[in-house]
Amino acid sequence: MTSQTYLRSVAASLLRLALKVAPQDSFGWGQAVLGELDYVEGDWPALAWAFGGAVVLTKHAMLSLILPGRKRPAINSGPELFAKEGPMRKTTLAAIGACAAASLLFFLAPVFRQAFQASLAQWHGLANFTRFGDRRPSPALEALARQAEQNHDAEGLAFVAMRYPKESESARLADEAVRLDPKLTWVYAVVAVEHPMLPQVEIERLIPKLEQFDPENALPHFIFAEAIDIDQVLHAKVPKEASDESPAWKNAMASAFQSAKLDDYLDRFKALDRRVLLRYRFDDLCQALVSSGDWYLLPSYSAWDSYRYADLVLQSGETLEARGDLIDARDKYLAVARFSQMMASGGVHLTNRKVNVPQEAYKRLQAFSEKDGVQEQARFYAFLAAQTVRADENDRLARQNRFPVSSDVPRWDANLVKTSGVAIFLCAGILLICLVHVIRRRQFLAPNSTGPGRITAGFGIGGAVGLLLSSAALYATYRPYAEIFQRYLHTGDESQLPLLSSFLGHSGILLGFEGFRAGDVRVYFWFAVTALCVLALLVAVIPFFGKLLRPRASI
Amino acid sequence: MKTPRLSPQTLLLLERFLSRPAAWRYGYELSRETGLKSGTLYPILMRLAEHSLLETKWVTTEDGVPPRHTYRLTPKGMELARATFVRSRSSRTTRQPALAGGSA
């Protein structure tokens, strides 16, 4: 075969291929172009001729998909001349089926299932009218709890206990986990921190276990002090001054003051999480990230309220100093200084807007040293006093830079994910309505009908293409966040987790309701739904009343 | 009467049809005479046929050779083509003096 005849055969093949996708009404025209091919002079012109015809046929094929009812008078190709048949509607139906199937195939990918869950997160808050937030665990967490209990997996149980929304069940799971593995006693601390509304009796049961497990740690004492504080708030008996606090509170804080360290168990929490997440392939990201970012909060006493007791100790030192009891006064200042250093090692600075407690303590100690004539020690205390100011400033800056405020990407991505989720439901609904319409039409209205009508087919292809596009958009938008999570799981890389947290935070807000309070969103949303329902009812009912009220014509 | 959009290419094609109104014309022949590529020619032929301005016929030449499609204007197509060319000629003749006057 020469190269020239090869080109001509390529041209013929190209046209035949285009004829395969050509709609019925363009098929004869395609054959017309093919019929002329043998008469075109020159092989390259023949190829150009075929290419032009193929482009026209492909364009018509695409148009017939978008506008299935669009018809042009077909030229009769005649069975005796050509043997191509197959109504265009079959092409449309095949396209609808292919798009719907491709969309469903997305669900096979775990990343897409996660993305789909994330797109649904915006609706979770709408049905929640309880006072203290959603008290129901997610289905994924329930499933994990069952699996962990069946396997007698202490870490799995601990994982669930630290997330379970109901206090009593959370404490029970923690008990079970600790029974299986006493090394997990620290889980009680996380459970108590996550459930500040745990009954006082339950706190009093857990604290001794924690103290026995980790006697050096200040955290159990802080938890206990906070529980007393919450109890006072609930009974509306909040003391105005720290000096008016109950002896139990003062004892708890004094014990915290004497502790050697502050361990919030966050490192153990994260390590356990990563092991359990990998073991169970747990894909509920909101639950998975509880131990990351800022989702896990320390009790307020370990975070900032300790300055109240520290200030109380400082004042007692000043009183002693005024009385001339310099040795005891110096001990008080040293206690505050030591405590503030212990807290600073845990990343907590004992300051509020009014008072920098450690700085005050160091200044007093500096003054004592100067009186004693120990200048080197005085300079050291002065340095420490200045350092507390710098540490405070650095801490403030670190908090400001914790989230990449300048980046709007997670917010936009979350909006895209939410929109895609809505579009998926909308398109699936349209497809379902089309399907029901076709079935009804076949069964009741037009049993001999060969296929969907023009409008139904149009909506069907629109719904199917929309479903495919929104599924693809959802997958593509979410995928980078899934990768961030996988990187965290496998390597412990937390650098991108703030982005993921920000994305998940925005995903939980109902589309179009950013900036509203959660309670207001629920009210406005259900008001809008009710108004639309009433409107729809009116639209349905008014014609009926109109017929009743219309005067009947007399014959 | 709803008529197709008469683009310069359509006018060119109609002109070729009018040159031999009774003859059946092949697609490639029209392409050579007008210089239109297949991707332009056939959509125009389709539109003309859609508006019943063109009639089509398959011609089987010999065994083993694919049949060829031929075209000629319908009486309605011929009427439209002639009317179009008359209008365009008259508009040219009325415009020319005005242009000439304007430039003088």
Side-chain angles (χ1 to χ4, degrees):
Chain A
M1 186 185 276
T2 64
S3 65
Q4 288 195 334
T5 51
Y6 176 74
L7 276 178
R8 201 169 272 275
S9 71
V10 167
S13 302
L14 182 68
L15 264 177
R16 286 198 188 96
L17 194 68
L19 279 167
K20 284 189 195 301
V21 298
Q24 191 189 14
D25 56 356
S26 300
F27 185 75
W29 288 101
Q31 287 288 359
V33 181
L34 185 64
E36 292 298 298
L37 190 63
D38 286 341
Y39 301 92
V40 178
E41 290 167 6
D43 289 329
W44 283 106
L47 187 63
W49 177 266
F51 181 75
V55 167
V56 172
L57 293 175
T58 312
K59 197 176 91 179
H60 284 190
M62 292 177 80
L63 277 173
S64 75
L65 284 176
I66 299 162
L67 303 165
R70 187 177 174 272
K71 285 254 175 210
R72 68 174 72 251
I75 55 171
N76 179 25
S77 55
E80 72 284 1
L81 294 174
F82 309 109
K84 152 88 187 203
E85 276 311 300
M88 183 266 287
R89 278 174 183 160
K90 278 188 181 170
T91 321
T92 310
L93 286 175
I96 291 173
C99 288
S103 308
L104 288 175
L105 280 177
F106 272 107
F107 278 92
L108 293 178
V111 172
F112 184 79
R113 291 200 297 273
Q114 272 182 23
F116 192 64
Q117 274 184 7
S119 77
L120 297 179
Q122 58 177 323
W123 305 106
H124 290 171
L126 289 176
N128 166 30
F129 286 98
T130 56
R131 188 179 164 195
F132 296 115
D134 198 349
R135 313 304 289 164
R136 291 163 301 179
S138 70
L141 196 65
E142 289 260 47
L144 179 56
R146 279 196 299 274
Q147 219 176 337
E149 280 200 284
Q150 277 171 6
N151 298 344
H152 300 288
D153 179 2
E155 287 195 330
L157 287 166
F159 180 92
V160 181
M162 291 187 285
R163 290 163 171 80
Y164 212 87
K166 288 179 187 165
E167 291 94 350
S168 54
E169 185 62 7
S170 176
R172 186 191 73 76
L173 289 165
D175 281 338
E176 185 62 15
V178 174
R179 189 184 66 76
L180 290 168
D181 184 0
K183 286 181 195 159
L184 293 175
T185 304
W186 60 269
V187 169
Y188 285 134
V190 180
V191 168
V193 170
E194 290 291 314
H195 295 296
M197 303 305 288
L198 258 178
Q200 187 77 14
V201 182
E202 194 67 10
I203 293 284
E204 284 170 8
R205 182 179 73 85
L206 299 181
I207 295 301
K209 292 182 181 180
L210 283 169
E211 286 176 359
Q212 195 182 353
F213 172 74
D214 192 0
E216 302 283 287
N217 197 356
L219 187 64
H221 308 297
F222 286 136
I223 293 171
F224 193 57
E226 182 155 273
I228 292 168
D229 209 12
I230 289 170
D231 193 54
Q232 285 170 343
V233 171
L234 289 177
H235 292 95
K237 290 178 183 171
V238 184
K240 285 181 183 173
E241 299 293 331
S243 54
D244 300 332
E245 289 280 3
S246 67
W249 182 87
K250 285 179 180 166
N251 286 340
M253 290 307 294
S255 302
F257 246 65
Q258 286 159 13
S259 302
K261 65 173 183 182
L262 172 64
D263 184 357
D264 56 7
Y265 301 123
L266 192 56
D267 292 338
R268 297 185 200 212
F269 191 1
K270 283 179 185 173
L272 181 139
D273 270 9
R274 284 177 54 207
R275 286 196 297 274
V276 173
L277 289 168
L278 285 169
R279 194 180 306 155
Y280 289 92
R281 296 181 183 279
F282 189 74
D283 59 0
D284 185 340
L285 253 64
C286 290
Q287 292 290 339
L289 286 182
V290 166
S291 63
S292 311
D294 279 348
W295 293 37
Y296 171 60
L297 296 172
L298 286 163
S300 66
Y301 276 93
S302 31
W304 58 83
D305 277 349
S306 291
Y307 88 91
R308 291 180 64 211
Y309 187 77
D311 198 28
L312 196 66
V313 176
L314 197 67
Q315 284 172 22
S316 67
E318 285 167 359
T319 311
L320 289 169
E321 192 180 347
R323 283 185 199 157
D325 189 352
L326 298 181
I327 295 171
D328 284 346
R330 185 192 287 244
D331 285 347
K332 294 283 181 190
Y333 299 146
L334 279 171
V336 172
R338 195 195 60 78
F339 179 72
S340 60
Q341 280 189 352
M342 187 267 285
M343 295 296 278
S345 68
V348 180
H349 301 283
L350 298 176
T351 54
N352 74 343
R353 286 178 190 171
K354 292 178 188 169
V355 60
N356 185 333
V357 179
Q359 192 191 18
E360 289 297 318
Y362 287 128
K363 279 182 180 172
R364 299 273 191 283
L365 289 168
Q366 181 192 349
F368 271 107
S369 300
E370 281 168 354
K371 272 185 196 170
D372 295 345
V374 189
Q375 292 305 322
E376 198 173 338
Q377 199 174 43
R379 278 197 297 276
F380 178 63
Y381 284 131
F383 166 76
L384 289 175
Q387 203 181 36
T388 57
V389 178
R390 277 200 301 275
D392 192 35
E393 182 64 17
N394 290 341
D395 184 54
R396 194 181 59 77
L397 289 172
R399 280 176 196 280
Q400 277 180 357
N401 298 328
R402 201 163 196 160
F403 297 104
V405 180
S406 58
S407 176
D408 276 338
V409 174
R411 185 164 62 84
W412 284 108
D413 284 345
N415 283 341
L416 193 54
V417 160
K418 288 186 283 188
T419 311
S420 303
V422 172
I424 285 175
F425 274 103
L426 202 67
C427 295
I430 290 170
L431 266 181
L432 198 66
I433 290 167
C434 291
L435 187 69
V436 169
H437 179 73
V438 169
I439 292 169
R440 271 200 60 182
R441 192 181 153 88
R442 284 208 157 194
Q443 283 182 344
F444 306 110
L445 302 173
N448 298 326
S449 168
T450 52
R454 181 180 169 177
I455 296 173
T456 312
F459 272 108
I461 191 74
V465 171
L467 186 63
L468 182 61
L469 289 179
S470 45
S471 300
L474 180 62
Y475 180 81
T477 311
Y478 184 79
R479 194 176 166 75
Y481 296 97
E483 282 170 1
I484 290 173
F485 182 60
Q486 287 303 317
R487 214 165 30 246
Y488 164 67
L489 280 188
H490 291 101
T491 66
D493 176 12
E494 296 183 29
S495 59
Q496 300 288 307
L497 281 186
L499 285 176
L500 180 56
S501 290
S502 172
F503 168 79
L504 290 174
H506 286 297
S507 301
I509 303 168
L510 188 64
L511 195 65
F513 284 89
E514 289 85 1
F516 286 79
R517 287 187 307 155
D520 292 345
V521 170
R522 280 199 293 274
V523 171
Y524 292 138
F525 178 81
W526 289 114
F527 178 76
V529 168
T530 312
L532 281 175
C533 288
V534 170
L535 196 69
L537 196 67
L538 284 174
V539 168
V541 166
I542 282 173
F544 173 72
F545 281 108
K547 276 182 195 168
L548 283 182
L549 295 173
R550 198 175 300 145
R552 292 185 180 181
S554 56
I555 302 170
Chain B
M1 180 177 66
K2 194 183 170 190
T3 55
R5 186 171 58 88
L6 296 178
S7 62
Q9 291 84 355
T10 310
L11 289 172
L12 189 63
L13 193 63
L14 287 176
E15 198 176 16
R16 294 320 303 163
F17 273 119
L18 277 182
S19 65
R20 284 190 288 148
W24 287 92
R25 317 290 293 271
Y26 294 117
Y28 181 57
E29 178 194 348
L30 288 167
S31 170
R32 289 194 65 172
E33 287 180 14
T34 57
L36 296 175
K37 306 286 180 202
S38 61
T40 311
L41 174 70
Y42 278 90
I44 296 172
L45 292 173
M46 286 176 187
R47 275 206 302 276
L48 291 174
E50 196 178 335
H51 289 84
S52 308
L53 302 171
L54 199 70
E55 55 183 321
T56 63
K57 188 174 77 172
W58 287 101
V59 179
T60 312
T61 49
E62 54 186 274
D63 286 344
V65 177
R68 296 183 78 180
H69 209 216
T70 57
Y71 317 94
R72 75 174 180 188
L73 289 176
T74 60
K76 190 174 142 188
M78 232 176 293
E79 192 187 332
L80 174 85
R82 283 188 178 131
T84 306
F85 285 112
V86 167
R87 264 204 308 273
S88 70
R89 249 182 248 124
S90 62
S91 66
R92 269 203 299 269
T93 49
T94 51
R95 257 202 311 265
Q96 273 167 353
L99 286 169
S103 60

